[in-house]
Amino acid sequence: MTVPRARIVTLNAALGPLDYRVPNGMKVEPGSVVVAPLGPRQLTGVAWEADRLPTEEVGDNRLRPLIAALDVPPIPAPLRRLVEWTADYYLSPLASVLRMVLPSSAALDGPRQLTEYVPTGRTPERLTPQREQALERIAGRQGTIRELAEHAGVSDSVMRGLAKAGALEAVQVTADRPLACPGPDFAPPELSDEQKSAADSLAGAIGKGFDPVLLDGVTGSGKTEVYFEAIAQCLRRDCQALVLLPEIALTEPFLKRFEARFGCAPVAWHSDLRSSQRRRAWRGIATGEAKVIVGARSALFLPYPQLGLIVVDEAHEPSFKQEDGVQYHARDVAVMRAKFEDVPIILSSATPAIESRHMVEVGRYRQLTLAHRFAGARLPGIEAIDLTQEPPPRGRWLAPSLVAELEANLERGEQSLLFLNRRGFAPLTLCRHCGHRFQCPNCTAWMVEHRLMHRLACHHCGHVMPPPKACPECGEEDSLVACGPGVERIADEVAELFPEARTAIVTSDTIWSPARAAEFVAAMEAGDLDIVIGTQLVTKGYHFPNLTLVGVVDADLGLQGGDLRAAERSFQQIQQVAGRAGRGDKPGQVLVQTHDPDAPVIAALVSGDVAGFYAAETEARREAAMPPFGRLAAIIVSAEDQSEAEGVARRIGNAAPVVEGMAVFGPAPAPLAMLRGRHRQRLLVHAARMLDVQDVIRDWLSSVEWGPKVRVGVDVDPYSFL
């Protein structure tokens, strides 16, 4: 008699697929989430089709029984195919990819009770202004202490005090209470003819199979409102829609716009969620109850049973590339998920990547264009300030003409934005007496001064230290000087120039959550800020009608280094930040400080020759056979012992196969030669577009052995060359 068995992929990356016996009465099918024994441990895993994952056959008498099949919907077949494809393409363990499908252990538990609170109608004896505000705002509402506090705009302690005073009553509810369902016809927008044409095209594609669309619209053209109509059609068909955003800080403004259109917020998925929120979101997604999901790249791997549409907003953003763990690019994997699910995908961008433009050219994507800003708003003019002809005063970083425009904008009561993609006060601190430079002890990187936090910080490993009073090299006191500007230094300069101006610094150090982003947006919309100084975080997604002046402090910064996408990325960043200006009925102006106004990037920005810039960049890539016309893969070897890393890298280099259409460069020390205490060596593989470079690298590395203290990672289609 044949014993029923199941092939299980556990969440342990060190293990391959394992066979288990299915006990009588337990239902296990491909996709079922199970608990399997391994020695004394219990591991979560997913049942898989045996013919897709070959493994060593084990006799029936040696099979251990599964412990349990969990009460969650099975992982759908299209998602299992995506997991296989991602693991194969990015040369990652299947278990590491599967872990992104099951990121919340709490979500796998059965029904759970949760304590929530409702107002009792009693007024506490001590009624402070905060308590009075809270009781007024939560009237008729129910939620956890945290949820009620957020809605009332008070601290958790105020809500707990109200509960102790008898003004709130605890009630027990299931953690999986119903989610709100967006209404597709709640508040239909008034679209321009151009927008309506694009919206009709996108909505018409819902339910008709795989259809990748590049939605290419200038900043302020209403791309979000246009793809909202495709989401509305998806809802009418009772399907799920997924919207990917590159930064969680963009989630809060998006949620407000979505709620205004559809009557309730979508389900959010990002790293800032509490465990209970992740549990509720995951289970709502897995059952199909959650109809619209907005999230960071990790939302791509969640188990949607009724997926009808994927939208990748700001699809050009490099932050869609995961730089550790499974090093996937969410834009590219999203296209594959849409293909496996047989649904449309919209790549929305004002500055599409060359890779996406190329896919349009070869006929694999179709393109919809929004060439005009909504409601007659005009694109801002861009002017270059030549710093060789108009340098800032000594010790300053803003040219006189930019300062004059800031002053004029303040007098008009309009808002300004200064963009510098460099966090902190200064990128380098050194001793003026002996020249000692402060370097991170764990990385080959300079410590960045953050005066707001009174710290020197490494932006690669997170190491922090207080600024010493004396130089650790020569002992000289009060000899440390900051070299170069960061956003904090520019903010200090603005405060000196315009002491009455209300300013804000917007970086990942100050806007670390959707809630903080919401506070910033509210301050801008209320007119409580005059000048914003920010990094790339402010270059996308925000709509401030009274922001009319943008100043780019250092347009040359992104052009440094050997990154093949440096020029394209600089062009995108500056064009995106320029797009923040003049989005209302007031005209906008953009001033770009540069030492090389004749550089192709700067010249194209000033002249508005977008097509010419991309044509030249694309041709340069074509001639060099660089992506998308060729393929790259990086092999990174790291170890705490430098000689071990170098030895393994040499052995890998010596074992490199001779393959037509493939060249191997290195090994050589990585530009970031030490990271988090590990010495790093890199090899770069450059291959022809049609070569299956993954199979070559897989066979190549399997022929080389290395010790347990050495790590060898492969980054397919790298975006970082550090």
Side-chain angles (χ1 to χ4, degrees), residues 639-647 679 681:
E640 292 182 5
D641 183 280
Q642 184 174 355
S643 61
E644 277 193 272
E646 291 173 349
H679 296 272
Q681 295 273 318

Side-chain angles (χ1 to χ4, degrees), residues 214-369:
L214 177 62
L215 180 58
D216 180 3
V218 299
T219 54
S221 60
K223 295 182 292 297
T224 305
E225 285 68 24
V226 166
Y227 72 65
F228 272 179
E229 297 314 294
I231 293 175
Q233 183 63 15
C234 204
L235 289 169
R236 294 184 189 104
R237 295 178 62 89
D238 199 29
C239 294
Q240 294 172 295
L242 166 63
V243 182
L244 296 179
L245 301 177
E247 307 271 1
I248 67 168
L250 293 176
T251 307
E252 202 68 21
F254 178 91
L255 296 182
K256 288 179 64 179
R257 294 171 75 178
F258 186 95
E259 188 167 358
R261 167 63 181 86
F262 294 101
C264 69
V267 173
W269 183 271
H270 51 72
S271 59
D272 198 51
L273 295 180
R274 301 190 308 276
S275 176
S276 60
Q277 292 173 313
R278 293 175 75 83
R279 171 197 161 82
R280 191 199 300 179
W282 191 94
R283 292 182 76 89
I285 289 166
T287 59
E289 181 190 7
K291 291 302 181 186
V292 182
I293 300 87
V294 56
R297 56 180 176 250
S298 58
L300 179 58
F301 288 94
L302 299 179
Y304 309 97
Q306 302 158 0
L307 192 60
L309 172 69
I310 299 174
V311 179
V312 184
D313 205 346
E314 309 287 356
H316 63 279
E317 270 296 312
S319 53
F320 276 123
K321 179 71 158 80
Q322 175 83 14
E323 294 295 352
D324 52 19
V326 182
Q327 294 179 285
Y328 68 97
H329 198 302
R331 179 196 66 214
D332 300 340
V333 179
V335 173
M336 291 307 300
R337 176 141 202 193
K339 185 174 182 180
F340 286 125
E341 300 276 0
D342 198 28
V343 300
I345 178 169
I346 301 167
L347 306 181
S348 175
S349 175
T351 53
I354 287 176
E355 288 83 353
S356 299
R357 293 172 183 270
H358 177 67
M359 296 299 273
V360 171
E361 288 177 8
V362 299
R364 295 189 181 176
Y365 298 175
R366 64 186 179 98
Q367 183 174 16
L368 295 174
T369 302

Side-chain angles (χ1 to χ4, degrees), residues 114-135:
L114 191 69
T115 301
E116 295 190 336
Y117 293 82
V118 294
T120 61
R122 291 176 54 188
T123 302
E125 293 181 7
R126 192 170 68 87
L127 190 63
T128 64
Q130 280 192 313
R131 285 185 170 189
E132 186 175 9
Q133 172 186 314
L135 288 173

